[in-house]
Amino acid sequence: MARHPTISGLFSPHPAALQGMRGSGRTGARRDRQDMPQDTPAPSTTDHLPQRRDGASLTPARTTAVAVIVAAATAALLFAAAFYPGWLSFDSSYQWWQARSGEISNINGIGIVLLWQAARWLHDGPQPLLLLQLALFWSGAALLALDAPVTARARLVLPLLLALAPASWLLAQIWSDAALLALLVFAVAAIRRHRRDGSRVWFVAALAALALGLAQRHNALFAVLPLLGWLCGVERRDARRRRLGATITLAAVLLLVVHATTAALTRQWFPVLPSLTLWDLSGMSVRQQRVLLPDYAIAPQSTVDDLASAYAAWSNTPLFASPRAGVRYPFQPWPEADQQRLRRHWLSTITQHPQTYLAHRGELMAGLFGTRARELPPELTYVPGPVQYRDNPAVAVPDGALRRFALATFERLRATPAFAAWPYLLIGIAAALRVRRRRDARGAAVLWLIASAWAYALPYTVLAPAAEFRYLLWSCIASLIAAWLAFATHRDEAIADLRD
């Protein structure tokens, strides 16, 4: 009679896969010895797995492993030298001040403030967070390169590819977006390791990284949920309902933990949605040539011309910084009745003027997903700073040749496709198309990564308050990693598939 896997078995390799694994651990080696004839020498658990004719193996040779680790470590050191002590924008400095003062607000995710507070045990400045981001990102990259059954040359391609990708250069910024990127890259490596050998250590490591990533941004669930599905093996046919249930349960538990932590530590509560709805209504007002904001959200004397003088299609910040526009400042206490009325008014106005709304959002999406024009502010791409906020300690920035080169490169490339999301996302689509008919572990990994990238990117078409490249960092790098898995590996990997 067929046996269904237990709950504890959901996160371990399939029994059929285990039968094909030789020398993968003490249990596997012992089973192999029992199955072998007495005159057959037992294989060593440290032997490399079988080598294919093209030179690729499941376990890299020692020289290859060293080369990959050296490449990733070198990239991390170069990044640290070029971006030291970490680039601080206004958001970065405000979150640092929250960690120092305890006046934590709900404007940002609680996770980035917790990282700042933990970093202060080492040093009261951005340096520990910069090093943490680099350590997570590059250790994850190295683990991914070492884990995949590819040639030595292909293993070295991944750290080189990520080092040359301008999206990864924004690890220089101490942003929740950069922290989320680093955590998810490490989580992906841990998921791969767990799916390969069923190690509970890697399962816990992946879950911890996903939990902390979930706490970084209010919308991080869109990126994390597909990765939880991959962690639980939802795509596998055995006990699929139970695996799906485990994914939903884990997501609910993580959300509850993040919510409880936020509720316990937050001291300043502000409504977040008005910053989006007021800007959308202002953009539609400018296009309709009449004020569409409700009277409780704008000064009585404000006109369409006043709104037009402050409205920018690429960000909501100029609108709220302009006294002339007279729009009610969103990040302050709002009566609940006003918030509900504003939400209803926003939805009603979109329903009445759908084409105007799409024109407003479409112009923003062109800047968010497309190549930014040179005349747009560089802050949409990078903010070296450091921006001072209140009583934060002054940050000394060494003016070295490597930093000057980095700044010049950012400025030279910021208005090119190098800092646009569309090339990365197209590469990811190509990767998904390459593996669309595969039903193996490699295809599953690529498709889960692309699902996470697009699940995170698409909601920004409605939710983005600005055309800032940082919002799509994870989507860009996830697409690159998926492309590497799809194009740098081979089709004849039966042994690798058995391991999953």
Side-chain angles (χ1 to χ4, degrees), residues 81 122 327 465:
L122 298 174
V327 178

Side-chain angles (χ1 to χ4, degrees), residues 413-430:
L413 297 179
R414 69 176 177 85
T416 70
F419 281 110
W422 66 265
Y424 299 90
L425 297 178
L426 286 180
I427 290 171
I429 292 174

Side-chain angles (χ1 to χ4, degrees), residues 34-184:
Q34 293 171 355
D35 294 341
M36 286 182 173
Q38 295 299 318
D39 57 347
T40 303
S44 167
T45 58
T46 59
D47 285 345
H48 297 308
L49 289 168
Q51 195 85 7
R52 294 202 303 266
R53 278 182 287 181
D54 60 5
S57 67
L58 291 175
T59 303
R62 180 175 298 179
T63 54
T64 303
V66 170
V68 168
I69 293 171
V70 168
T74 301
L77 290 173
L78 285 174
F79 275 45
F83 305 139
Y84 184 87
W87 293 3
L88 292 175
S89 67
F90 173 84
D91 288 353
S92 312
S93 295
Y94 176 52
Q95 291 153 8
W96 181 15
W97 178 81
Q98 291 179 56
R100 297 181 68 251
S101 66
E103 294 297 319
I104 300 174
S105 81
N106 67 316
I107 294 177
N108 45 256
I110 192 66
I112 187 64
V113 180
L114 292 177
L115 290 179
W116 272 109
Q117 289 180 332
R120 293 187 67 229
W121 287 93
L122 298 174
H123 178 71
D124 193 10
Q127 295 90 336
L129 277 184
L130 173 67
L131 297 179
L132 175 62
Q133 288 178 175
L134 295 178
L136 286 169
F137 183 87
W138 289 110
S139 63
L143 286 170
L144 280 169
L146 293 174
D147 180 65
V150 296
T151 62
R153 182 178 301 175
R155 294 185 197 278
L156 289 169
V157 164
L158 182 61
L160 180 62
L161 176 67
L162 293 178
L164 294 178
S168 66
W169 302 350
L170 285 176
L171 289 166
Q173 303 279 177
I174 310 302
W175 281 336
S176 58
D177 313 82
L180 176 65
L181 169 64
L183 286 162
L184 293 189

Side-chain angles (χ1 to χ4, degrees), residues 106 267-272 274 328-336 338-339:
N106 67 316
R267 297 292 178 266
Q268 296 181 339
W269 293 90
F270 303 112
V272 177
R328 186 173 177 177
Y329 189 66
F331 299 117
Q332 61 182 352
W334 281 56
E336 182 61 30
D338 282 358
Q339 294 184 51

Side-chain angles (χ1 to χ4, degrees), residues 270-278 280-281 284 294 296-297 334-351:
F270 303 112
V272 177
L273 191 59
S275 66
L276 174 68
T277 56
L278 292 174
D280 283 346
L281 290 169
M284 288 189 284
Y296 55 84
W334 281 56
E336 182 61 30
D338 282 358
Q339 294 184 51
Q340 293 179 4
R341 284 196 297 166
L342 183 61
R343 283 194 295 269
R344 290 194 297 268
H345 183 83
W346 175 59
L347 294 174
S348 174
T349 305
I350 293 173
T351 303

Side-chain angles (χ1 to χ4, degrees), residues 453-498:
W454 280 92
Y456 189 63
L458 286 178
Y460 276 118
T461 59
V462 175
L463 299 176
E468 297 185 26
F469 181 61
R470 62 175 172 142
Y471 294 153
L472 300 178
L473 279 187
W474 164 244
S475 298
C476 292
I477 295 301
S479 297
L480 278 186
I481 294 174
W484 176 78
L485 283 170
F487 292 100
T489 52
H490 302 262
R491 297 185 63 85
D492 54 340
E493 291 160 352
I495 297 177
D497 296 337
L498 283 176

